[in-house]
Amino acid sequence: QMADPFLYNTGERSQYGCLGHEVQIEHIKAYVCRPSFFTDKAVIVIHDIFGWLFPDIRYIVDLIAGHGYITICPDFFKGTDPWKTTDHWADFADWMKAHDPMKVDKEADVVLKYLKEQCGAKKIGIVGFSWGGMAVHHLMLKNPQLTAGVSLYGRIIRDSEERYNLLNPTFFIFGEKDHTISYDQITLLEEKLKQYCRVAYKIKVYPGQVHGFAQLKPEDMKPEDKPYIEEARKDMIDWIKTFI
């Protein structure tokens, strides 16, 4: 059961004029932003419960593209409704059952094929936020085509030891004041990764930060949070640049 503060305030967001464009890839729509020069490096961004149209996630896509990557955010909800701030919290568990972050393999394969065949991508990384952070954790255990991953405040699912045998370098970002992820869970993740993980990994907790902190656009940040948000973004980009 997740606590209500998981729903960071989406009502007080500024609008965002996107730099990229939308494409249709087989059964999936996606938002793509490319750098101004040719590159064979790409990053897939996995949205949170608010979906691929949410301005915050498109801002992140454009931000990563600005660092020199073909960046794509597919609609992992395949045209179904994302969670809305007007939805009732009591229905969240049922909504999650219908939107399982562990069932993203088919869509990830479609997007990987598109990036390789249509965009000429040779190295592909993945970044995901919240729901997307859970999906990244799953994909970094299952898909060797993903060179590196960053999972931002994805809840840690403790179902088996194989959840820690990552295939490629993965960075886990958490907020210290996240109501959905306890410190014990993060400690356990660290212990288990130490035990089972054979590749590079990193866990970092950002002081005072709540769930969803790293997605905010500059004008939506509180001054006291800004340094930590910027640090998390820089750390995310640095991790990608190290491996991709």
Side-chain angles (χ1 to χ4, degrees):
Q1 178 61 34
M2 290 200 210
D4 253 357
F6 169 68
L7 290 177
Y8 50 74
N9 189 344
T10 55
E12 296 172 19
R13 289 289 205 279
S14 56
Q15 283 307 300
Y16 180 64
C18 302
L19 305 176
H21 62 282
E22 292 178 10
V23 294
Q24 181 82 37
I25 312 163
E26 293 183 29
H27 67 294
I28 310 165
K29 281 193 164 131
Y31 173 68
V32 185
C33 190
R34 290 169 175 258
S36 54
F37 51 86
F38 174 80
T39 179
D40 59 3
K41 298 172 173 189
V43 174
I44 299 167
V45 174
I46 309 191
H47 53 72
D48 62 11
I49 59 172
F50 300 113
W52 75 299
L53 294 165
F54 198 52
D56 290 12
I57 210 72
R58 297 206 163 188
Y59 171 75
I60 294 290
V61 171
D62 295 354
L63 183 87
I64 295 171
H67 285 274
Y69 297 90
I70 302 158
T71 312
I72 185 165
C73 179
D75 175 14
F76 278 93
F77 297 161
K78 298 167 287 198
T80 65
D81 280 342
W83 183 259
K84 295 179 288 301
T85 46
T86 49
D87 289 343
H88 295 291
W89 197 242
D91 301 330
F92 188 71
D94 287 339
W95 183 89
M96 273 296 274
K97 279 194 194 88
H99 301 81
D100 186 347
M102 307 300 129
K103 295 195 172 127
V104 289
D105 303 86
K106 191 176 167 221
E107 285 66 47
D109 283 339
V110 166
V111 175
L112 281 160
K113 184 170 179 264
Y114 166 80
L115 288 171
K116 288 180 172 177
E117 293 177 7
Q118 306 297 314
C119 307
K122 301 257 192 309
K123 282 176 114 177
I124 302 167
I126 193 159
V127 169
F129 298 81
S130 185
W131 187 93
M134 294 163 79
V136 166
H137 188 164
H138 168 79
L139 288 166
M140 292 310 292
L141 297 162
K142 303 285 179 205
N143 201 318
Q145 296 180 79
L146 296 162
T147 309
V150 184
S151 169
L152 294 98
Y153 32 83
R155 257 191 322 147
I156 303 150
I157 295 170
R158 294 170 285 181
D159 51 6
S160 70
E161 302 304 347
E162 69 186 28
R163 284 207 56 82
Y164 309 101
N165 189 12
L166 300 160
L167 299 174
N168 279 312
T170 309
F171 179 22
F172 296 89
I173 286 176
F174 299 105
E176 182 199 16
K177 295 263 178 7
D178 190 328
H179 288 266
T180 71
I181 300 160
S182 73
Y183 213 78
D184 292 350
Q185 284 178 292
I186 299 171
T187 311
L188 183 76
L189 177 67
E190 199 140 27
E191 285 168 11
K192 296 284 191 183
L193 286 174
K194 206 168 272 183
Q195 201 177 339
Y196 294 100
C197 191
R198 303 281 167 266
V199 295
Y201 66 85
K202 183 176 169 185
I203 295 172
K204 189 164 171 182
V205 180
Y206 295 77
Q209 299 309 295
V210 297
H211 197 85
F213 78 98
Q215 285 147 272
L216 292 170
K217 300 188 293 302
E219 59 272 28
D220 298 327
M221 296 174 189
K222 290 182 182 141
E224 64 270 24
D225 295 328
K226 195 172 189 242
Y228 299 109
I229 296 167
E230 288 176 349
E231 187 183 340
R233 296 247 176 94
K234 185 182 182 304
D235 292 344
M236 171 184 85
I237 299 289
D238 285 349
W239 187 263
I240 293 164
K241 285 187 170 168
T242 303
F243 300 102
I244 299 161

